[in-house]
Amino acid sequence: MAFFYDEPSRTFSEYLLVPNYSSADCLPQNVSLVTPVCRYKRNEEPKLKMNIPLASAIMQSVSGDRLATALAREGGISYIYASQTIEQQAAMVKKVKNFKAGFVVSDSSVRPDQTLDDIVRLKEKTGHSTVAVTHDGSPTGKLLGIVTSRDYRISRMDRSLKVKEFMTPLKDLIYAYEGISLKEANNIIWDHKLNALPIIDSQGNMAAFVFRKDYETHKENPFELLDSQKRFVVGAGINTRDYVERVPALVEAGADILCIDSSDGFTEWQKRTLDFIRKNYGDSVKVGAGNIVDRDGFRFLADAGADFIKVGIGGGSICITREAKGIGRGQATAVTEVARARDEYIEETGSYVPICSDGGIVMDYHITLALAMGCDFCMLGRYFAGFDESPTNKVMVNGNYMKEYWGEGSMRARNWQRYDMGGADKLSFEEGVDAYVPYAGSLHDNVAVTLSKIRSTMCNCGALSIPELREKAKLTLVSPVSIVEGGAHDVILKDKSAFTE
């Protein structure tokens, strides 16, 4: 006879938080969102923390190097997607690790024999108005000059004009050499009223730019997540097929933490992968595992040595695992049960293993609910896919800007390794869809609003930290009628466009 759970599995949308007593100290600016990422012993500090409880999903349409840099600047961690070649993934990790805060490696470079038309096209593609002119057009070629918007006027110049005819040559530039500190570079920028300062190496090769605008950006991001060498922290996904080759390459590239990307973590394949990492690297390489949805799955991966464990099957917006296979569980119920198992585990073993809620987040307040229910941080896909920094195209659909978004289980991604059960090297059927999400603008602006909501809600609960929220939160189930009551109702909404035109 099959086992039947007594209670139905619940989603985040079926719960609300009930306010608790808030003292005068309960102000959003006093709230700490610092959270552990990897396992640690009781009364010890975890080796890796995040400053905000947000991680980006291991997906082609979400976590590229550009988004990883942007999220680390806010205090979170991106996991560079594994459904690409080992060399490509390692290169992305290196790109994030080589991005010094304030020192920007140019991805907009041209040769002197290229044309104004090439400059215009490059600006349309990247949005960058400052372009390095190098002898071979590469980001690290010998610097010959730069082109800014002040060097040309499209309306008055022939688009076939060679770059060397209108660029600002090196002899007329103020530049600095590699090894200069960011403070020294910014002083040069301010003293000479520059918008950009080229940084070159001892052979005259282009190394980076320091931009005036980034000085303010750096000051605006006090929660940047940096390693001991002041490089951005970045994660990377791995699978259970080629981990023998992929793990060493990612470790060498500088990945701070790895995570097994799989729809089902309660398998021998994941234990084999974890065993390989522990045998060859001990505890020096941090690795998350998953996904699981119950106490047994958590215990299996915790005992196998996972540093954190992802919770959630079938709850992603582009995931159709439940529809295709009938496998999964409501995310709220899954997080709650696994959090209890995590708390039991630390009492029994003295080791705290963080859990990550992966999927099921539709509204910003669902993140706060997940934290209140016991997770340490949330992994998000759809949320990040709509931002400028995600690696997908921005397209116009029915008069609205959208961004492409597809699941790793879709035929477009062809990430059969994520759903691998030791069979053929292919997807037998789809467990994800190819879709669009509304274009949302910059990651920085949107994350700032989301974190503001989380901090404000925590204050309503009388909590100034995530562990305190977990202790003080009071949750109530809501009926379908009360969900309707919670939104605007029984009114005729005004057309917002009438006030913005």
Side-chain angles (χ1 to χ4, degrees):
M1 182 69 182
F3 176 81
F4 286 84
Y5 287 90
D6 294 331
E7 295 292 328
S9 61
R10 305 286 188 178
T11 66
F12 293 133
S13 293
E14 295 177 79
Y15 289 91
L16 287 174
L17 286 157
V18 176
N20 213 333
Y21 170 75
S22 300
S23 70
D25 292 330
C26 282
L27 300 173
Q29 58 265 37
N30 293 336
V31 172
S32 169
L33 295 177
V34 173
T35 192
V37 180
C38 57
R39 75 158 66 205
Y40 60 96
K41 291 288 186 181
R42 184 191 278 117
N43 300 322
E44 292 183 358
E45 282 293 307
K47 293 291 177 62
L48 183 60
K49 298 179 182 179
M50 288 195 292
N51 292 326
I52 63 172
L54 303 180
S56 69
I58 312 170
M59 301 177 69
Q60 294 175 11
S61 55
V62 178
S63 294
D65 54 87
R66 190 178 171 208
L67 190 132
T69 301
L71 184 53
R73 185 177 286 124
E74 302 300 323
I77 297 178
S78 276
Y79 289 82
I80 303 293
Y81 65 92
S83 51
Q84 57 181 322
T85 67
I86 296 172
E87 294 75 20
Q88 289 172 329
Q89 188 185 21
M92 282 191 176
V93 171
K94 286 180 181 178
K95 193 168 183 179
V96 179
K97 298 307 291 186
N98 290 337
F99 186 101
K100 295 181 182 176
F103 292 86
V104 182
V105 177
S106 174
D107 59 358
S108 297
S109 303
V110 296
R111 300 185 310 275
D113 61 341
Q114 288 184 261
T115 65
L116 174 59
D117 188 61
D118 292 321
I119 293 288
V120 173
R121 290 176 182 273
L122 188 60
K123 184 178 179 180
E124 289 175 350
K125 179 182 177 181
T126 65
H128 301 157
S129 59
T130 300
V131 177
V133 183
T134 60
H135 79 287
D136 59 358
S138 74
T140 56
K142 189 175 182 63
L143 182 65
L144 303 177
I146 66 171
V147 174
T148 71
S149 56
R150 292 181 298 181
D151 291 315
Y152 61 88
R153 288 190 67 178
I154 298 175
S155 61
R156 294 190 177 185
M157 295 166 64
D158 191 328
R159 286 203 176 201
S160 63
L161 190 66
K162 299 292 185 183
V163 168
K164 60 186 176 183
E165 300 296 329
F166 61 90
M167 72 180 187
T168 301
L170 183 64
K171 66 182 179 64
D172 295 330
L173 287 176
I174 294 172
Y175 54 88
Y177 286 97
E178 210 169 19
I180 189 173
S181 70
L182 183 58
K183 182 177 180 180
E184 291 169 329
N186 280 318
N187 286 339
I188 294 174
I189 287 174
W190 288 103
D191 291 344
H192 295 275
K193 300 180 180 179
L194 305 175
N195 287 325
L197 177 68
I199 308 296
I200 61 176
D201 66 17
S202 58
Q203 282 76 48
N205 297 315
M206 184 67 188
F209 277 115
V210 177
F211 292 100
R212 173 189 288 261
K213 63 180 177 63
D214 284 345
Y215 176 80
E216 292 300 328
T217 300
H218 181 64
K219 293 297 182 182
E220 290 173 1
N221 294 283
F223 300 113
E224 286 181 327
L225 195 58
L226 306 174
D227 65 15
S228 59
Q229 301 176 52
K230 296 193 179 301
R231 302 175 301 175
F232 284 131
V233 170
V234 62
I238 59 174
N239 60 61
T240 57
R241 276 288 180 118
D242 64 10
Y243 56 86
V244 173
E245 297 79 29
R246 192 174 293 267
V247 170
L250 294 174
V251 171
E252 184 180 351
D256 297 277
I257 187 165
L258 307 176
C259 184
I260 303 172
D261 181 32
S262 174
S263 66
D264 180 8
F266 201 174
T267 69
E268 182 181 342
W269 310 109
Q270 293 228 352
K271 187 177 186 304
R272 289 184 184 183
T273 306
L274 292 167
D275 286 346
F276 168 82
I277 293 172
R278 294 295 170 241
K279 178 181 178 181
N280 290 277
Y281 298 96
D283 293 331
S284 65
V285 171
K286 303 303 180 185
V287 55
N291 289 24
I292 51 87
V293 292
D294 65 1
R295 182 187 309 271
D296 295 338
F298 170 86
R299 185 61 190 240
F300 172 78
L301 291 177
D303 287 343
D307 282 295
F308 73 85
I309 294 172
K310 287 202 297 169
V311 182
I313 294 177
S317 61
I318 40 68
C319 183
I320 55 171
T321 295
R322 297 179 192 177
E323 181 181 320
K325 295 165 64 176
I327 292 288
R329 199 177 194 189
Q331 190 67 2
T333 299
V335 168
T336 302
E337 179 174 321
V338 174
R340 290 195 185 104
R342 184 265 324 278
D343 294 343
E344 292 167 1
Y345 190 80
I346 190 174
E347 291 302 318
E348 181 182 335
T349 68
S351 290
Y352 184 92
V353 181
I355 61 173
C356 164
S357 177
D358 179 18
I361 303 293
V362 180
M363 309 291 286
D364 283 352
Y365 79 89
H366 290 168
I367 299 171
T368 318
L369 282 171
L371 297 172
M373 291 175 182
C375 83
D376 295 276
F377 58 98
C378 296
M379 182 169 280
L380 308 165
R382 179 192 59 83
Y383 175 85
F384 288 112
F387 299 155
D388 286 318
E389 294 83 359
S390 73
T392 62
N393 295 317
K394 183 172 75 171
V395 296
M396 183 74 78
V397 179
N398 297 326
N400 296 307
Y401 278 115
M402 311 289 282
K403 292 208 71 174
E404 296 176 305
Y405 180 45
W406 59 91
E408 290 296 293
S410 68
M411 289 302 178
R412 179 171 183 173
R414 297 186 180 278
N415 185 8
W416 60 268
Q417 296 96 331
R418 189 175 196 275
Y419 303 88
D420 184 29
M421 292 185 178
D425 299 355
K426 66 177 183 178
L427 282 176
S428 301
F429 53 89
E430 288 188 298
E431 292 188 47
V433 299
D434 195 345
Y436 299 106
V437 293
Y439 168 65
S442 77
L443 180 146
H444 172 75
D445 292 341
N446 283 275
V447 167
V449 173
T450 297
L451 296 179
S452 179
K453 292 178 182 177
I454 293 171
R455 291 188 177 104
S456 181
T457 304
M458 288 172 64
C459 286
N460 290 139
C461 296
L464 293 177
S465 68
I466 293 173
E468 190 177 10
L469 173 67
R470 202 176 294 155
E471 292 173 6
K472 292 185 175 180
K474 295 187 293 185
L475 293 146
T476 180
L477 275 168
V478 293
S479 69
V481 177
S482 64
I483 293 175
V484 173
E485 181 184 63
H489 61 91
D490 300 316
V491 295
I492 299 173
L493 295 177
K494 293 181 179 179
D495 184 0
K496 292 182 180 179
S497 63
F499 300 98
T500 59
E501 292 176 355

